[in-house]
Amino acid sequence: MDSNNKNKSALSEKDGVEQPQSMNSSASSTIKKKRRQQIDINTLGQQLIQGNITALSRGITLVESENSNHQQQAEQLIEYCLPHANKSVRIGITGVPGVGKSTFIEAFGNHLTSLNKKVAVLAVDPSSSISKGSILGDKTRMEDLVKNKNAFIRPSPSGDSLGGVAKKTRESIILCEAAGFDTILIETVGVGQSETAVHSMVDFFLLLKLAGAGDELQGIKRGIIEMADAIIINKADKDNVKRAKMAKTEFQRALHLYPPKASEWIAKTATCSAIENKGIDTVWEMISDYVSQTKANNYFEANRKEQNKYWLIQTIEHHLKSNFYQRKNIQNLLDELLQKVKEGLVSPFSAAAKLLDEYKKLK
């Protein structure tokens, strides 16, 4: 036996066949050159409002970018698209991980497209607090809907957003509306930290629940129930049908404990099986009834105006925070003070005061 191979593991690598280039070098150079070119916002905006999906995807990428130049261009694009937006029904969909949000959205989206609706799904995937990475696997889980020509699916990482909603989700809604999508579905991470961000950007808030998982009483205690316009018990199939019906009754009773909504809408409960495509049409009937009622009593439009005010404040706070941490002087002083706080030499409160004083001087 060759002495070089004597102690090699069976898992050791062997020389393989050299793979050919996957792309012609001149084509690669052309693509890189185009990417470096300045984006023409008017051209991009025009393509987007004509329903060009590539332009829509590029626009959302621009909106999500943290690059300062891209942020300015994104603001111009939003202004360009704003007159063509606000013509959709925005639906927030939340629920604990494992409740079947992606399966439900696929069945629901396919039902809506069968009614000649154009559906955009803005799915927010959880980001790792350690690696900061995100799987963005919603397109894989919605393999039928992703092939539907009247549907658009855009997964985005949640980043450090508390409510499990990407920071730029609301801007993405405007771009999707401008591109002609009349029904916007926003899927949240569903971690239970704060669903206020979702509730403040949608017209209808849908909460998915499970039966027989010890979730009924836990759900009743959470404030999320008060925000929900409908509670849907998913996975009502096979031997789980009876438990789903019992859970539906429990939640219906719980809803009577909450005060009336400003919309005058009485929250509804229902069961469904996304995997068997049962009860999906009932959910859309609920939403349609809600839209009709709230438009008739003028709540629909009034609510959107209130949401605009909320997002003005949120945008100011985001820009102030971003501007604060991007300052070089602040970064240096922060590192210094963090070490002192860690060693117990300075209190967190006095350190924060020093940082804010330094920021005021920079202004």
Side-chain angles (χ1 to χ4, degrees), residues 231-300:
I231 300 173
I232 308 299
I233 316 300
N234 193 22
K235 302 187 180 181
D237 44 50
K238 299 175 184 175
D239 59 349
N240 204 39
V241 174
K242 185 177 179 180
R243 286 194 291 265
K245 288 181 178 177
M246 289 174 63
K248 173 184 176 294
T249 303
E250 289 295 323
F251 281 116
Q252 192 65 59
R253 286 173 182 164
L255 288 171
H256 291 297
L257 302 174
Y258 292 95
K261 293 178 178 289
S263 61
E264 300 177 9
W265 169 259
I266 300 173
K268 305 284 193 294
T269 59
T271 61
C272 80
S273 170
I275 203 164
E276 293 183 356
N277 205 26
K278 292 179 180 176
I280 302 298
D281 53 344
T282 303
V283 177
W284 178 241
E285 286 170 12
M286 278 185 186
I287 296 171
S288 299
D289 290 344
Y290 172 89
V291 172
S292 297
Q293 179 177 319
T294 53
K295 282 189 173 181
N297 64 17
N298 297 320
Y299 175 81
F300 191 92

Side-chain angles (χ1 to χ4, degrees), residues 167-224:
K167 291 175 183 174
K168 303 297 183 178
T169 300
R170 195 168 189 276
E171 288 93 327
S172 298
I173 291 173
I174 293 169
L175 298 186
C176 289
E177 290 175 338
F181 290 94
D182 51 38
T183 311
I184 315 292
L185 307 181
I186 300 152
E187 178 195 357
T188 73
V189 174
V191 290
Q193 288 176 303
S194 170
E195 302 301 326
T196 306
V198 196
H199 188 255
S200 62
M201 67 173 73
V202 298
D203 305 310
F204 190 92
F205 193 55
L206 181 65
L207 174 61
L208 291 179
K209 283 285 185 181
L210 286 173
D215 196 34
E216 291 88 344
L217 289 175
Q218 289 298 320
I220 291 169
K221 289 190 286 186
R222 286 171 57 189
I224 192 173

